[in-house]
Amino acid sequence: RTESMDMKLKVAEYIAQAAQQSFENCALTGNDVSAMIETPPDKKMGDYALPCFRLSKTMRCAPQMIAGKLAEKIACEEIDHVEVVGGYLNVFLRRGGLARDIVEAVLKNPGRWGSSEIGKGKTVCLDYSSINIAKRFHIGHLSTTMIGNSLKRIYDFNGYTTVGINHLGDWGTQFGKMICAYKKWGNREEVEKGGVQAMVDLYVRFHHEAEQHPELEDEGRAWFKKIEDGDQEAMEIFTWFKEVTLKDTQRVYDLLGVSFDSYAGESFYNDKMQPVVDELRAKGLLEVDQGASVVRFPEEDHLMPCLILRSDGATLYITRDLAAAFYRHNTYHFDKCLYVVAYQQDLHFRQWFKVLELMGYDWAKDCVHVAFGMISYEGQSLSTRKGYVVYLEDLLEQAQQKALAIIEEKSPNLPNKAEVARQVGIGAVVYADLSNNRIKDIDFSWERALNFDGETGPYVQYTHARCCSVLRKAAEMSLPDPDWNALTDDEAQDCLRKLGRFPDVIQEAADKYEPSMITRAVTDLAQAYNKFYYEHRILDDDPAAAAARVALTRAMKNVIKTGLYLIGIEAPERM
Ligand code: ARG
């Protein structure tokens, strides 16, 4: 349903009412009239025209007379005036009608344009960021973090209850090795001070020394066994490693404005896998293959079998994900559980979704892998193994510095430069990450991200600040009621159309798990506003026209801010 269809039906309903008043036993409905209404090729003949010839027979009256009678009775706000020409009733809309409708609707509930109650009573779990303990937070984890954060905000905006889950990678033999290394060469202060990097260093040293002293591997395994058995010393160190990692990453989450409702990670499911394994066995889905337990899939699924238990009985990543799915389903009763994870893990998710299905759980269809592409940095692909990594904290630090340099140059008198530099620098990074269809690989480039004139975070933020500046000036004037007819030019109409479409974009973004649609829409709004701003004097001499342009500016500011919020970007009022 488009805005113009709504308007046509509205007009048709008024005409039908006028007909009922003028003619006895008239059974015309709004829909009947709407079907007869034509759109004249020439605006001089009105926005709509109703030919009255066909009505002539049933109403036993000349077409011209019918048109005349309808013209007398019809009255509504949306219609400016009507004309009777021959057997036609020509309707001229009040040109500012659309403007008033949209601007008032946006401003009635500031910050909520496009929100809905669609998700009322429904719960969406979102598994995102899901970092690994004792590893540094690098740029490869940016997309999962920001797409997840955005989707959470979008679903919240639509009335859903959302549960943000950081499914920590906190299980595996490496933690045994790390404890072993810590016991041999580490000390508490060093790790407290050095944070994750100190743990990484210990781990690297372990591998180094293990080349000369292979017996270290056994020691590492022994420590992992201790973690598995819940040994007190092992657990203390392990828990502390987790705390140190989370403290380090919290700084990044704070900068990005990202938060979670749960940090239940892989180890949380240690005691929750046995029932799943038992059920798989009971349902005859588990096959023993050289001591290991696997699930094989029906041929038509074309899926490789998946390992559920190793031959030594150890569980796997997938075993934990299965247990986690049951836990989430039982705990949150989700309508949807989204996994914002790189597309490389596609097979993993297809396999265990299928396992759920084979177990007979129809809610398997509510589990969705929201996959995304890879990120490279200034044309270089990143790989932890080859040693080329970009740490997120460094990237965000640089972003703020670069933004600060630009702001120093552009607005030397800004009072809160450091704060704005933070908002703009981080905004640039987040926008760059969410500006493409999520499945596409992206390359992060400073020049592209920080270009104030391109399609970037800073550009949109700048437009928002421009709106704020117009509104500050307008606040010093006393303006009369708006003359909505001042918003009939192409540029204003384009702004209005984009405002009108914004709620549909949010719905589509939610349905497709695609924050980039909102990035696109917010950029379109900014571009439309800037065009309007350059083509028209907002604070015109005519106060009623100025009032209308200011109202449009306020609506644009509002919705740009909402759009930025939904993709996880702040909107400074001055830049
Ligand atoms: N920790 C994993 C990684 O960094 C991502 C976990 C995603 N979530 C999940 N439930 N499997 O690759």
Short mmCIF file of all heavy atoms in Angstrom, two decimals, residues 122-159:
data_model
loop_
_atom_site.label_atom_id
_atom_site.label_comp_id
_atom_site.label_asym_id
_atom_site.label_seq_id
_atom_site.Cartn_x
_atom_site.Cartn_y
_atom_site.Cartn_z
N LYS A 122 6.54 -11.67 21.76
CA LYS A 122 7.45 -12.62 21.12
C LYS A 122 8.89 -12.36 21.56
O LYS A 122 9.25 -11.23 21.87
CB LYS A 122 7.38 -12.48 19.60
CG LYS A 122 6.06 -12.92 19.03
CD LYS A 122 6.17 -12.98 17.52
CE LYS A 122 4.83 -13.35 16.91
NZ LYS A 122 4.67 -12.70 15.61
N THR A 123 9.68 -13.41 21.56
CA THR A 123 11.07 -13.29 22.00
C THR A 123 12.03 -13.69 20.90
O THR A 123 11.83 -14.69 20.22
CB THR A 123 11.30 -14.18 23.24
OG1 THR A 123 10.45 -13.72 24.29
CG2 THR A 123 12.74 -14.12 23.70
N VAL A 124 13.06 -12.87 20.74
CA VAL A 124 14.12 -13.21 19.80
C VAL A 124 15.44 -13.30 20.57
O VAL A 124 15.81 -12.37 21.29
CB VAL A 124 14.27 -12.14 18.70
CG1 VAL A 124 15.44 -12.46 17.78
CG2 VAL A 124 12.99 -12.02 17.87
N CYS A 125 16.12 -14.45 20.45
CA CYS A 125 17.46 -14.57 21.01
C CYS A 125 18.46 -14.22 19.92
O CYS A 125 18.27 -14.61 18.76
CB CYS A 125 17.73 -16.01 21.46
SG CYS A 125 16.78 -16.50 22.90
N LEU A 126 19.46 -13.47 20.28
CA LEU A 126 20.49 -13.12 19.30
C LEU A 126 21.86 -13.50 19.85
O LEU A 126 22.23 -13.06 20.93
CB LEU A 126 20.47 -11.62 18.99
CG LEU A 126 19.17 -11.07 18.41
CD1 LEU A 126 18.39 -10.34 19.48
CD2 LEU A 126 19.47 -10.10 17.27
N ASP A 127 22.54 -14.37 19.13
CA ASP A 127 23.87 -14.83 19.51
C ASP A 127 24.84 -14.04 18.64
O ASP A 127 24.87 -14.19 17.43
CB ASP A 127 23.90 -16.35 19.22
CG ASP A 127 25.22 -17.03 19.52
OD1 ASP A 127 26.29 -16.44 19.27
OD2 ASP A 127 25.17 -18.19 20.00
N TYR A 128 25.56 -13.11 19.27
CA TYR A 128 26.47 -12.27 18.47
C TYR A 128 27.71 -11.90 19.27
O TYR A 128 27.73 -12.03 20.48
CB TYR A 128 25.77 -11.01 17.97
CG TYR A 128 25.20 -10.11 19.04
CD1 TYR A 128 25.84 -8.92 19.39
CD2 TYR A 128 24.03 -10.45 19.70
CE1 TYR A 128 25.32 -8.09 20.38
CE2 TYR A 128 23.51 -9.63 20.68
CZ TYR A 128 24.14 -8.46 21.02
OH TYR A 128 23.63 -7.65 21.99
N SER A 129 28.71 -11.48 18.53
CA SER A 129 30.03 -11.16 19.06
C SER A 129 30.76 -12.44 19.48
O SER A 129 31.78 -12.79 18.90
CB SER A 129 29.96 -10.13 20.20
OG SER A 129 31.21 -9.50 20.32
N SER A 130 30.19 -13.13 20.49
CA SER A 130 30.67 -14.45 20.88
C SER A 130 32.18 -14.63 20.74
O SER A 130 32.67 -15.45 19.96
CB SER A 130 29.92 -15.52 20.08
OG SER A 130 28.53 -15.41 20.36
N ILE A 131 32.89 -13.85 21.52
CA ILE A 131 34.35 -13.82 21.45
C ILE A 131 34.99 -15.02 22.13
O ILE A 131 34.33 -15.75 22.87
CB ILE A 131 34.89 -12.55 22.13
CG1 ILE A 131 34.24 -12.40 23.51
CG2 ILE A 131 34.65 -11.33 21.27
CD1 ILE A 131 35.08 -11.61 24.46
N ASN A 132 36.26 -15.19 21.87
CA ASN A 132 36.99 -16.31 22.44
C ASN A 132 37.87 -15.83 23.59
O ASN A 132 38.52 -14.80 23.49
CB ASN A 132 37.83 -16.98 21.36
CG ASN A 132 36.93 -17.48 20.24
OD1 ASN A 132 35.87 -18.07 20.51
ND2 ASN A 132 37.31 -17.23 19.01
N ILE A 133 37.83 -16.59 24.67
CA ILE A 133 38.59 -16.21 25.86
C ILE A 133 40.09 -16.33 25.60
O ILE A 133 40.54 -17.24 24.89
CB ILE A 133 38.18 -17.10 27.06
CG1 ILE A 133 36.71 -16.83 27.43
CG2 ILE A 133 39.08 -16.91 28.26
CD1 ILE A 133 36.38 -15.39 27.78
N ALA A 134 40.83 -15.39 26.16
CA ALA A 134 42.29 -15.34 26.04
C ALA A 134 42.75 -15.07 24.61
O ALA A 134 43.89 -15.37 24.24
CB ALA A 134 42.94 -16.60 26.60
N LYS A 135 41.86 -14.54 23.79
CA LYS A 135 42.28 -14.07 22.47
C LYS A 135 41.90 -12.60 22.39
O LYS A 135 40.91 -12.18 22.97
CB LYS A 135 41.54 -14.83 21.36
CG LYS A 135 41.97 -16.26 21.23
CD LYS A 135 41.93 -16.71 19.78
CE LYS A 135 42.36 -18.17 19.66
NZ LYS A 135 41.22 -19.05 19.35
N ARG A 136 42.68 -11.84 21.65
CA ARG A 136 42.36 -10.42 21.57
C ARG A 136 41.23 -10.18 20.58
O ARG A 136 41.06 -10.92 19.61
CB ARG A 136 43.61 -9.62 21.19
CG ARG A 136 44.54 -9.52 22.39
CD ARG A 136 45.59 -8.48 22.20
NE ARG A 136 45.03 -7.14 22.07
CZ ARG A 136 45.78 -6.07 21.82
NH1 ARG A 136 47.07 -6.18 21.67
NH2 ARG A 136 45.20 -4.89 21.71
N PHE A 137 40.48 -9.15 20.87
CA PHE A 137 39.30 -8.79 20.08
C PHE A 137 39.80 -8.12 18.81
O PHE A 137 40.35 -7.03 18.85
CB PHE A 137 38.50 -7.78 20.94
CG PHE A 137 37.05 -7.65 20.59
CD1 PHE A 137 36.15 -7.20 21.56
CD2 PHE A 137 36.56 -7.95 19.33
CE1 PHE A 137 34.80 -7.05 21.28
CE2 PHE A 137 35.21 -7.81 19.04
CZ PHE A 137 34.34 -7.36 20.02
N HIS A 138 39.67 -8.80 17.70
CA HIS A 138 40.21 -8.20 16.48
C HIS A 138 39.10 -7.85 15.49
O HIS A 138 37.92 -8.13 15.72
CB HIS A 138 41.28 -9.08 15.84
CG HIS A 138 40.76 -10.43 15.41
ND1 HIS A 138 40.20 -10.63 14.18
CD2 HIS A 138 40.72 -11.60 16.07
CE1 HIS A 138 39.83 -11.89 14.10
NE2 HIS A 138 40.13 -12.50 15.22
N ILE A 139 39.50 -7.24 14.40
CA ILE A 139 38.56 -6.66 13.45
C ILE A 139 37.63 -7.73 12.84
O ILE A 139 36.51 -7.44 12.42
CB ILE A 139 39.32 -5.85 12.37
CG1 ILE A 139 38.36 -5.06 11.47
CG2 ILE A 139 40.23 -6.69 11.57
CD1 ILE A 139 39.09 -4.14 10.49
N GLY A 140 38.09 -8.98 12.86
CA GLY A 140 37.25 -10.08 12.36
C GLY A 140 35.98 -10.26 13.18
O GLY A 140 35.02 -10.86 12.71
N HIS A 141 35.97 -9.76 14.41
CA HIS A 141 34.77 -9.89 15.23
C HIS A 141 33.90 -8.63 15.22
O HIS A 141 32.95 -8.52 15.98
CB HIS A 141 35.13 -10.26 16.67
CG HIS A 141 35.24 -11.73 16.90
ND1 HIS A 141 36.40 -12.42 16.71
CD2 HIS A 141 34.31 -12.66 17.25
CE1 HIS A 141 36.20 -13.71 16.96
NE2 HIS A 141 34.92 -13.88 17.28
N LEU A 142 34.25 -7.69 14.34
CA LEU A 142 33.48 -6.44 14.30
C LEU A 142 32.08 -6.66 13.72
O LEU A 142 31.09 -6.20 14.28
CB LEU A 142 34.24 -5.39 13.45
CG LEU A 142 33.55 -4.03 13.29
CD1 LEU A 142 33.42 -3.33 14.63
CD2 LEU A 142 34.33 -3.14 12.31
N SER A 143 32.00 -7.39 12.61
CA SER A 143 30.70 -7.55 11.93
C SER A 143 29.69 -8.28 12.80
O SER A 143 28.54 -7.85 12.92
CB SER A 143 30.87 -8.32 10.62
OG SER A 143 31.66 -7.56 9.73
N THR A 144 30.11 -9.39 13.41
CA THR A 144 29.15 -10.11 14.24
C THR A 144 28.65 -9.20 15.37
O THR A 144 27.47 -9.17 15.71
CB THR A 144 29.72 -11.43 14.81
OG1 THR A 144 28.87 -11.88 15.87
CG2 THR A 144 31.13 -11.28 15.35
N THR A 145 29.58 -8.42 15.92
CA THR A 145 29.21 -7.54 17.04
C THR A 145 28.22 -6.46 16.60
O THR A 145 27.21 -6.24 17.25
CB THR A 145 30.49 -6.90 17.62
OG1 THR A 145 31.43 -7.94 17.94
CG2 THR A 145 30.18 -6.10 18.87
N MET A 146 28.52 -5.81 15.48
CA MET A 146 27.69 -4.68 15.07
C MET A 146 26.39 -5.10 14.38
O MET A 146 25.36 -4.45 14.53
CB MET A 146 28.48 -3.71 14.20
CG MET A 146 29.65 -3.05 14.91
SD MET A 146 29.43 -2.65 16.69
CE MET A 146 28.13 -1.44 16.68
N ILE A 147 26.43 -6.18 13.61
CA ILE A 147 25.18 -6.65 12.99
C ILE A 147 24.23 -7.13 14.09
O ILE A 147 23.05 -6.81 14.11
CB ILE A 147 25.45 -7.79 11.97
CG1 ILE A 147 26.23 -7.26 10.77
CG2 ILE A 147 24.13 -8.41 11.50
CD1 ILE A 147 26.74 -8.34 9.82
N GLY A 148 24.79 -7.87 15.05
CA GLY A 148 23.98 -8.37 16.15
C GLY A 148 23.39 -7.23 16.97
O GLY A 148 22.19 -7.23 17.29
N ASN A 149 24.22 -6.25 17.27
CA ASN A 149 23.77 -5.10 18.06
C ASN A 149 22.64 -4.38 17.32
O ASN A 149 21.63 -3.99 17.91
CB ASN A 149 24.96 -4.16 18.27
CG ASN A 149 24.59 -2.92 19.05
OD1 ASN A 149 24.14 -2.99 20.18
ND2 ASN A 149 24.74 -1.76 18.42
N SER A 150 22.81 -4.19 16.03
CA SER A 150 21.80 -3.49 15.24
C SER A 150 20.50 -4.29 15.19
O SER A 150 19.41 -3.75 15.41
CB SER A 150 22.34 -3.23 13.83
OG SER A 150 21.31 -2.70 13.02
N LEU A 151 20.61 -5.59 14.94
CA LEU A 151 19.39 -6.40 14.86
C LEU A 151 18.66 -6.38 16.20
O LEU A 151 17.43 -6.31 16.25
CB LEU A 151 19.72 -7.84 14.46
CG LEU A 151 20.19 -8.02 13.01
CD1 LEU A 151 20.57 -9.48 12.74
CD2 LEU A 151 19.09 -7.59 12.03
N LYS A 152 19.42 -6.39 17.27
CA LYS A 152 18.78 -6.34 18.60
C LYS A 152 17.99 -5.04 18.73
O LYS A 152 16.84 -5.04 19.17
CB LYS A 152 19.83 -6.43 19.69
CG LYS A 152 19.26 -6.54 21.10
CD LYS A 152 20.39 -6.87 22.08
CE LYS A 152 19.95 -7.35 23.44
NZ LYS A 152 19.07 -6.51 24.20
N ARG A 153 18.59 -3.95 18.32
CA ARG A 153 17.88 -2.66 18.40
C ARG A 153 16.66 -2.64 17.49
O ARG A 153 15.60 -2.11 17.85
CB ARG A 153 18.83 -1.52 18.05
CG ARG A 153 19.89 -1.30 19.11
CD ARG A 153 20.81 -0.15 18.79
NE ARG A 153 21.85 -0.05 19.82
CZ ARG A 153 22.58 1.03 20.04
NH1 ARG A 153 22.44 2.10 19.27
NH2 ARG A 153 23.48 1.04 21.00
N ILE A 154 16.79 -3.20 16.31
CA ILE A 154 15.67 -3.22 15.36
C ILE A 154 14.50 -4.04 15.94
O ILE A 154 13.35 -3.63 15.90
CB ILE A 154 16.11 -3.81 14.00
CG1 ILE A 154 17.12 -2.87 13.31
CG2 ILE A 154 14.91 -4.04 13.09
CD1 ILE A 154 17.81 -3.47 12.09
N TYR A 155 14.83 -5.19 16.51
CA TYR A 155 13.76 -6.03 17.08
C TYR A 155 13.13 -5.38 18.31
O TYR A 155 11.92 -5.44 18.50
CB TYR A 155 14.26 -7.45 17.37
CG TYR A 155 14.30 -8.28 16.10
CD1 TYR A 155 15.48 -8.52 15.43
CD2 TYR A 155 13.12 -8.76 15.55
CE1 TYR A 155 15.51 -9.23 14.24
CE2 TYR A 155 13.12 -9.47 14.37
CZ TYR A 155 14.32 -9.71 13.72
OH TYR A 155 14.32 -10.41 12.55
N ASP A 156 13.98 -4.76 19.13
CA ASP A 156 13.42 -4.02 20.27
C ASP A 156 12.43 -2.96 19.78
O ASP A 156 11.36 -2.78 20.36
CB ASP A 156 14.55 -3.31 21.04
CG ASP A 156 15.30 -4.26 21.97
OD1 ASP A 156 14.70 -5.27 22.39
OD2 ASP A 156 16.48 -3.98 22.27
N PHE A 157 12.82 -2.28 18.73
CA PHE A 157 12.02 -1.19 18.17
C PHE A 157 10.66 -1.71 17.67
O PHE A 157 9.70 -0.95 17.56
CB PHE A 157 12.81 -0.58 17.01
CG PHE A 157 12.48 0.86 16.69
CD1 PHE A 157 12.60 1.85 17.65
CD2 PHE A 157 12.08 1.23 15.42
CE1 PHE A 157 12.31 3.18 17.36
CE2 PHE A 157 11.79 2.55 15.11
CZ PHE A 157 11.91 3.53 16.08
N ASN A 158 10.63 -2.98 17.35
CA ASN A 158 9.38 -3.58 16.87
C ASN A 158 8.63 -4.32 17.96
O ASN A 158 7.75 -5.13 17.67
CB ASN A 158 9.67 -4.52 15.71
CG ASN A 158 9.87 -3.76 14.41
OD1 ASN A 158 9.02 -2.97 14.02
ND2 ASN A 158 11.00 -3.96 13.76
N GLY A 159 8.99 -4.04 19.19
CA GLY A 159 8.21 -4.58 20.30
C GLY A 159 8.58 -5.98 20.76
O GLY A 159 7.93 -6.52 21.65
#
